[in-house]
Amino acid sequence: MNALPITQLLPALQQALTTANQLILQAPTGAGKSTALPLALLDWPEINGRILMLEPRRVAARSIAAYLARCRQQPLGQTIGYRVRGETQVSRNTRLEIITEGILTRMIQQDPTLDGVAMVIFDEIHERHLTTDLGLALALEVQTSVRDDLKILAMSATLQGLPLAQLMPDAITLSSEGRSFPVSVAYRAVPANVQARSALPAWLSHMGKSIVAMFAGSDDLPELTTMQRQGAMLAFLPGRAEIIKLQEYLTGRLPDDVQIYLMYGDLPAELQDAAIAPPITGKRKLVLSTNVAESSLTIEGITMVVDCGYRRQASFNPRTGVTRLGLKRISQASAQQRAGRAGRLAAGFCLRLWSQEEQGRLAAADEPEIQCGELLPAVLEAANWGVKSLSQLPLLTPANAANEAVAWELLQTLELVDRQHKLTAHGRAAYQFGAASPRLAHMLVKAQTRVAESSDKQLLGLACLLAALLEARSRGAGCDVLDKLPQLLRGPEAKQAKLWLRRCQLPEEPARYLHAANSQDVAWLLALAFPDRIARARGAAGFVLANGTGVVLEHDDALASAEWLVIADFQEQEGRSSGRAYLAAMLPAGLLDNELAFLTEWREDAAWDDNKGRFLAERQLCLGKLVLKRELLPQPDNALKRKALLTLIRQRGLGLLNMDDSVRQLQFRLRLAQSVDPIQFPDVSDAALLASLEQWLAPYLDDVSQLKQLATLDIYSLLLNRLPWQARQQLDEWLPTHWPMVTGTRAPIRYDENGRALLSVRLQEALGMSDSPRLLQGKLVITMELLSPAHRPLALTADLASFWQGSYTDVKKEMRGRYPKHLWPDDPANTLPTKYTKKKTEAKLS
């Protein structure tokens, strides 16, 4: 420990803790920030209480805690312990707890004073998990409100692109050197002639061949030394599926002394520990891992890294309400972290399976999860904390507005918050369950309520089984949830099922509730959790969800012929408009008329019927975007007609209105004015007008009963009247419609979509002008369209002075013969302008 670089920084860090309660530490891989530092903190008098150190992954939390406990020569759970989801090893004597990020949020929510906690350490904060950002925000709230003595330490391998200093401007920032050995890097992109195998894509097949060649001693990589070949290899892949496929490919192809280990988040703890442990004597180790091994985790003996360059990124689609796991290129920061794993113990080697040119095009850092992920759990945490928007929390990065809006809307649908985003009594009960998904917590509370009314605990037990199954995200052949429930009798799913049964104070016997499970109860429970995913068949095209999304099942799936389903798990498909369902249950239609009737509502709607040439109005019973029943309304009111007209205009475009040249000119002028003063001048582009029809057009539609009447509306006046008097005056001053010539002519100015102002005038009337006029406070040069006496274009210029000195000579030669009665002076810039012939001009001058 004393040889780690962080030890050189410990005196400065200890001194900083006497004057500041916020610290930022930059320490590269191998510096000892996750090991030597927390051990030192245990012995400092400045830390009077427990220390919580956050790690982004469970395997890292367990590994670091076990290592530090060994360093103190104590069993886990004494001075040093850990907390991860579903597993805890702490005692009343524990002073240093290694915890995963979500645990801290729950601890703060349960005890907003963090009583007994002296310090919170955020390790590997650069990974930007949503739970990290939220945990840091709540910790800062606690510190600034009730615990000004609480110390917060944010640690990162890099501060590049991380706005910690802006979030914590008073923090003391310290930097440590890293301890790593040089890593030579080679690039080997997938050759053009590599073909995808039946089970492997081309890049994965290329990766498998490269690994075999490296262990076999191929001469294709001269940078790889013999000593490095004898060490262990860490291969980075995007996910579990690719790891399993590559393991199958490599089995039987590697030398006999190479043993394969796996490393991913859901792997049992004992197998993760085996992957981390030193290689068996006489054996070489190959670890196939996701990005869980990028940081905080030291795998013994690694001298070689093979990086596929891909990661699995979760991207939430607010339109469908589903998270897509897509294959994405890693960032440069991630590539650097991965390569560094080969240089922890000695000089290492990293093979990147892409080109060096592509390396330069990679993004500098990964996108924060708060910008691309689902925000439903975070929004429930915010509501429980008492804020009405994530923007009210001190976050490193603002949340994605669209994703947040969808999350609040769903919480309202689930009755967890009210319209003011305040947590309801039902929401408080659901939060106490601690479920990973608010959907499942809502389902469990509803099941509890029903059990309290009927004393039948079977339904609550079934809800626990469904929660365990859905959290496991089990996928395989067939979609029917009823067919998959038996999985809960064995393996990690059984452990999770028993945990839920224990929380609900039920006998921990999954089989008891499984045997009594029926399709009606399953459908009712799932519909509570996923009301937006109740689906109706639409023929051969599959199903359409209540949120409007299309989904398909395998054609031979037993549920493919059902009329109604509840889709508990589905995934968007690349390049396809419909997602694929993985977990579903058949929904008896009668439930929508009885137990689930509260999910439906009557709405009135109207639409224009082209065939009948009139409005048709209906009263519709709706489940989200699904219409269950229709009743004709004989006479739509004005509000319905307005709604129908606005919908029609959005569908067919602004061409239904009188968007004549005067309107277009106003749009062009306002766009130019907005570029200078976006506050005073509104956006009146076509897109903005379509988005704001309710504000500027709807009030004038009450008397419209035929489509042709739309074309009679004075759109120019409607838009112009939106401007206050001062703004209209400013617009005319900055961007007039005409330019006063010395001759008395008011020359028209036309504006175009390219931001150009074009002044058309006869050349003789522009005589004496030394340069082109300017508009918009001198920012816009008028383009002069100079015309012949017959009003035909002669020249187009935005630099009149250069025209007089250059091109005018050729124009003069040609035009003198054609228009001899008009002035064509040799010195146009110093000639008085005229709109008459030479003779008439001379007469007026005399």
Side-chain angles (χ1 to χ4, degrees):
M1 284 289 184
N2 291 333
L4 293 173
I6 198 73
T7 59
Q8 305 299 316
L9 196 66
L10 292 181
L13 186 60
Q14 187 173 9
Q15 176 61 35
L17 286 172
T18 65
T19 59
N21 286 334
Q22 293 181 356
L23 294 92
I24 299 170
L25 173 61
Q26 179 177 4
T29 298
K33 65 181 182 296
S34 307
T35 53
L37 173 57
L39 285 177
L41 290 170
L42 286 172
D43 300 324
W44 290 356
E46 290 80 8
I47 308 299
N48 184 23
R50 285 184 296 148
I51 302 170
L52 305 179
M53 186 166 79
L54 278 71
E55 293 296 333
R57 297 179 178 87
R58 286 177 292 178
V59 59
R62 285 195 299 261
S63 173
I64 292 172
Y67 176 74
L68 296 181
R70 288 197 303 270
C71 291
R72 300 283 287 203
Q73 298 182 339
Q74 292 180 347
L76 263 174
Q78 292 301 309
T79 304
I80 299 166
Y82 70 86
R83 295 177 193 258
V84 300
R85 185 172 178 80
E87 189 178 351
T88 300
Q89 278 202 293
V90 298
S91 67
R92 64 178 60 188
N93 299 321
T94 303
R95 291 190 53 224
L96 171 62
E97 293 185 22
I98 317 299
I99 63 177
T100 45
E101 299 152 324
I103 300 293
L104 175 67
T105 302
R106 184 66 55 164
M107 292 174 73
I108 293 176
Q109 295 275 23
Q110 292 173 348
D111 177 14
T113 67
L114 281 180
D115 185 38
V117 175
M119 187 175 198
V120 181
I121 304 172
F122 293 85
D123 195 12
E124 309 296 356
I125 200 170
H126 64 275
E127 293 196 14
R128 299 304 310 278
H129 294 173
L130 176 59
T131 44
T132 307
D133 285 12
L134 187 60
L136 177 59
L138 294 186
L140 289 171
E141 291 254 297
V142 170
Q143 187 186 60
T144 55
S145 58
V146 295
R147 284 290 311 280
D148 58 1
D149 63 320
L150 179 67
K151 300 184 185 302
I152 295 176
L153 170 59
M155 304 195 301
S156 175
T158 174
L159 296 180
Q160 183 179 1
L162 194 63
L164 276 171
Q166 289 84 353
L167 184 65
M168 301 189 292
D170 298 328
I172 294 177
T173 300
L174 300 168
S175 295
S176 169
E177 297 295 326
R179 189 191 72 170
S180 60
F181 294 88
V183 176
S184 56
V185 177
Y187 294 87
R188 295 291 187 276
V190 181
N193 60 353
V194 171
Q195 299 296 320
R197 302 170 62 89
S198 58
L200 298 179
W203 67 267
L204 194 54
S205 176
H206 176 56
M207 187 174 191
K209 292 176 181 178
S210 300
I211 290 173
V212 171
M214 290 171 69
F215 275 117
S218 170
D219 295 332
D220 185 44
L221 295 168
E223 307 96 324
L224 184 58
T225 68
T226 302
M227 186 176 69
Q228 289 165 352
R229 290 182 193 273
Q230 296 307 310
M233 177 187 291
L234 174 60
F236 283 101
L237 292 108
R240 177 181 179 273
E242 291 82 8
I243 287 175
I244 300 301
K245 288 179 181 179
L246 188 58
Q247 180 190 27
E248 293 172 353
Y249 172 86
L250 293 172
T251 300
R253 289 182 167 87
L254 292 172
D256 293 339
D257 66 333
V258 177
Q259 292 184 315
I260 300 177
Y261 296 86
L262 310 184
M263 175 65 71
Y264 51 86
D266 295 332
L267 196 69
E270 59 272 15
L271 296 181
Q272 291 180 350
D273 293 341
I276 297 171
I280 298 172
T281 303
K283 297 290 186 179
R284 290 184 288 173
K285 181 166 68 172
L286 166 61
V287 180
L288 306 180
S289 176
T290 62
N291 58 3
V292 299
E294 266 189 29
S295 56
S296 295
L297 196 64
T298 298
I299 300 178
E300 296 286 345
I302 298 297
T303 58
M304 298 177 287
V305 165
V306 178
D307 188 356
C308 73
Y310 289 108
R311 65 188 175 98
R312 193 77 68 192
Q313 178 179 330
S315 298
F316 180 74
N317 185 340
R319 185 184 65 83
T320 61
V322 70
T323 296
R324 169 190 286 180
L325 290 175
L327 205 60
K328 304 290 184 183
R329 274 297 187 193
I330 61 174
S331 65
Q332 293 185 22
S334 182
Q336 183 177 357
Q337 283 284 109
R338 292 182 176 188
R341 311 313 285 176
R344 297 295 297 270
L345 304 175
F349 172 78
C350 174
L351 178 63
R352 291 175 175 167
L353 300 178
W354 62 92
S355 68
Q356 193 163 4
E357 178 188 12
E358 187 173 2
Q359 169 70 17
R361 297 198 303 266
L362 297 180
D366 294 333
E367 185 178 16
E369 189 179 353
I370 198 169
Q371 279 288 302
C372 60
E374 183 182 12
L375 298 178
L376 186 64
V379 163
L380 181 60
E381 293 286 355
N384 191 70
W385 189 247
V387 298
K388 299 179 179 180
S389 168
L390 291 176
S391 63
Q392 295 178 265
L393 296 173
L395 293 163
L396 271 170
T397 304
N400 181 296
N403 294 0
E404 183 178 353
V406 168
W408 283 113
E409 184 179 350
L410 182 56
L411 287 187
Q412 288 181 51
T413 300
L414 298 177
E415 305 169 14
L416 300 177
V417 300
D418 59 21
R419 292 184 180 275
Q420 286 72 44
H421 296 179
K422 184 179 179 182
L423 204 66
T424 62
H426 174 68
R428 284 191 291 274
Y431 182 84
Q432 293 306 315
F433 261 109
S437 168
R439 292 177 181 269
L440 301 183
H442 165 70
M443 175 187 73
L444 289 162
V445 174
K446 285 290 187 180
Q448 273 187 332
T449 303
R450 187 157 167 175
V451 167
E453 296 170 353
S454 64
S455 300
D456 178 13
K457 295 185 178 180
Q458 163 62 27
L459 190 69
L460 181 57
L462 179 58
C464 292
L465 299 190
L466 289 174
L469 183 69
L470 293 170
E471 285 193 338
R473 292 183 62 84
S474 176
R475 292 180 176 180
C479 288
D480 199 333
V481 169
L482 274 173
D483 294 339
K484 295 182 182 293
L485 283 174
Q487 298 176 14
L488 299 171
L489 299 178
R490 56 190 179 275
E493 288 89 349
K495 180 180 179 182
Q496 189 64 25
K498 291 177 181 179
L499 175 63
W500 279 119
L501 291 169
R502 192 184 315 133
R503 286 184 184 177
C504 292
Q505 300 179 329
L506 295 174
E508 297 175 31
E509 304 170 15
R512 169 192 290 192
Y513 309 101
L514 179 62
H515 294 322
N518 62 80
S519 59
Q520 179 128 336
D521 287 344
V522 168
W524 181 74
L525 288 167
L526 290 181
L528 294 176
F530 303 96
D532 52 329
R533 297 186 191 173
I534 294 175
R536 182 168 62 186
R538 56 177 181 184
F543 295 79
V544 60
L545 305 184
N547 65 15
T549 306
V551 295
V552 294
L553 280 66
E554 294 293 334
H555 69 278
D556 58 348
D557 193 286
L559 297 180
S561 59
E563 180 184 1
W564 288 93
L565 296 176
V566 184
I567 309 292
D569 182 20
F570 80 98
Q571 189 71 55
E572 291 184 345
Q573 300 183 93
E574 197 76 38
R576 298 187 181 182
S577 58
S578 296
R580 181 186 170 189
Y582 290 97
L583 279 177
M586 185 172 63
L587 178 75
L591 285 177
L592 296 174
D593 297 323
N594 298 290
E595 290 94 329
L596 296 176
F598 69 93
L599 295 175
T600 65
E601 63 175 341
W602 284 98
R603 304 173 192 157
E604 292 184 350
D605 195 22
W608 177 261
D609 189 314
D610 281 325
N611 294 326
K612 296 183 179 180
R614 63 185 179 90
F615 292 101
L616 292 182
E618 289 182 337
R619 185 169 175 261
Q620 302 172 345
L621 180 63
C622 298
L623 173 64
K625 294 184 179 181
L626 299 176
V627 179
L628 310 184
K629 295 178 183 178
R630 302 174 186 270
E631 297 176 0
L632 283 176
L633 291 175
Q635 184 63 43
D637 59 22
N638 284 339
L640 278 177
K641 287 195 297 182
R642 282 197 303 270
K643 180 182 175 183
L645 285 170
L646 297 182
T647 300
L648 188 67
I649 293 169
R650 286 197 170 101
Q651 291 173 344
R652 300 188 185 180
L654 295 173
L656 290 175
L657 306 176
N658 181 23
M659 301 292 288
D660 60 16
D661 185 64
S662 65
V663 175
R664 294 302 181 194
Q665 285 296 300
L666 181 59
Q667 286 179 299
F668 296 149
R669 293 168 68 204
L670 284 173
R671 184 167 67 179
L672 285 166
Q674 191 190 35
S675 68
V676 175
D677 189 347
I679 297 177
Q680 183 173 205
F681 296 101
D683 182 0
V684 293
S685 63
D686 283 4
L689 291 179
L690 285 170
S692 60
L693 290 172
E694 286 78 6
Q695 287 73 47
W696 69 271
L697 183 62
Y700 305 96
L701 296 179
D702 285 353
D703 295 329
V704 175
S705 57
Q706 298 292 324
L707 290 191
K708 60 184 180 182
Q709 291 178 268
L710 291 175
T712 65
L713 295 174
D714 186 359
I715 303 300
Y716 174 82
S717 296
L718 293 184
L719 296 182
L720 190 63
N721 290 337
R722 295 182 71 196
L723 296 178
W725 180 86
Q726 184 178 356
R728 292 173 66 172
Q729 296 294 109
Q730 189 74 79
L731 181 66
D732 288 339
E733 178 185 334
W734 283 357
L735 298 160
T737 58
H738 293 79
W739 185 265
M741 305 299 292
V742 175
T743 59
T745 297
R746 293 183 70 248
I749 302 174
R750 291 188 58 78
Y751 300 85
D752 64 24
E753 60 185 6
N754 298 317
R756 185 177 63 169
L758 185 69
L759 187 152
S760 297
V761 68
R762 288 186 295 179
L763 183 145
Q764 283 73 21
E765 295 193 65
L767 295 173
M769 295 178 68
S770 60
D771 209 344
S772 301
R774 290 177 175 267
L775 304 175
L776 202 61
Q777 298 180 308
K779 296 180 176 65
L780 177 64
V781 179
I782 288 182
T783 299
M784 302 286 292
E785 184 183 41
L786 300 174
L787 308 175
S788 71
H791 292 274
R792 294 187 176 90
L794 294 178
L796 195 68
T797 179
D799 187 350
L800 192 59
S802 295
F803 171 75
W804 291 141
Q805 296 173 7
S807 302
Y808 170 71
T809 303
D810 295 330
V811 172
K812 177 183 63 175
K813 288 178 182 178
E814 184 180 349
M815 292 296 108
R816 269 182 172 170
R818 186 174 299 179
Y819 299 101
K821 295 181 180 181
H822 292 78
L823 281 177
W824 303 99
D826 294 330
D827 187 8
N830 294 300
T831 301
L832 289 175
T834 181
K835 56 182 177 180
Y836 304 113
T837 62
K838 286 190 293 184
K839 184 177 180 180
K840 193 169 183 179
T841 299
E842 291 170 357
K844 285 186 171 290
L845 291 175
S846 62

